[in-house]
Amino acid sequence: MLDIIPDADRMTALIGKPLYEIWNKLCALIDEHYDMDRIWGKGGKAWTYEYKYRRGGKTLCALYARENCAGFMVILGKEEREKFERDREDYSLEVRKVYDESRTYHDGKWMMFELTDESLFSDFMRLLKIKRKPYNPFH
């Protein structure tokens, strides 16, 4: 757990205003569909901050921030990968490429996307739906 949770000024200084707006839109979209614990943490060696969505000991996804860069990570376990594989043609070429190039570890395939715009948001939400049903299916 971080001693200091970054405020809007700190995040804007770190990743820049346009990326911070994209970050906030993605968080709002996830918040609209999922009731999760949101946990700030250190981003490890590669990132300054980690912002995790968790519930009941399971991580849904995480956002990462470092200088002029923001990332979105989803880890798909074995059964989740099978679901993705069944529908892979429904995903954008970029998502399929990240899936194919992502390393598979003992706990799943770690898919990291660099946030640059909102173009992959619908794919991100479909990936999250594989992991956990949204609490409000009417959205």
Side-chain angles (χ1 to χ4, degrees), residues 42-56:
K42 289 184 162 72
K45 290 181 191 141
W47 301 90
T48 307
Y49 296 114
E50 173 187 68
Y51 187 63
K52 228 183 238 186
Y53 283 85
R54 281 179 72 88
R55 181 98 184 254

Side-chain angles (χ1 to χ4, degrees), residues 16-39:
K17 193 174 188 320
L19 269 184
Y20 188 50
E21 287 173 4
I22 291 164
W23 172 291
N24 281 328
K25 284 179 181 171
L26 181 55
C27 288
L29 189 60
I30 297 168
D31 290 341
E32 187 182 324
H33 291 59
Y34 293 93
D35 181 20
M36 307 293 286
D37 296 323
R38 297 182 295 284
I39 304 154

Side-chain angles (χ1 to χ4, degrees), residues 62-126:
L63 281 78
Y64 292 87
R66 65 174 177 236
E67 195 170 338
N68 299 317
C69 188
F72 173 75
M73 181 182 274
V74 178
I75 300 171
L76 297 182
K78 189 177 186 311
E79 288 175 20
E80 295 159 346
R81 290 196 307 276
E82 289 168 6
K83 287 180 189 173
F84 177 87
E85 296 279 356
R86 274 198 303 270
D87 297 328
R88 73 174 280 134
E89 295 308 313
D90 298 336
Y91 288 88
S92 67
L93 196 57
E94 191 171 342
V95 169
R96 286 182 277 169
K97 185 176 188 295
V98 168
Y99 178 86
D100 292 340
E101 293 173 358
S102 294
R103 285 197 49 189
T104 303
Y105 296 93
H106 71 281
D107 58 348
K109 187 178 270 285
W110 292 40
M111 298 172 65
M112 174 64 84
F113 299 90
E114 186 174 336
L115 292 179
T116 53
D117 56 34
E118 298 172 46
S119 64
L120 296 179
F121 280 15
S122 62
D123 277 356
F124 291 169
M125 296 312 291
R126 292 186 49 229

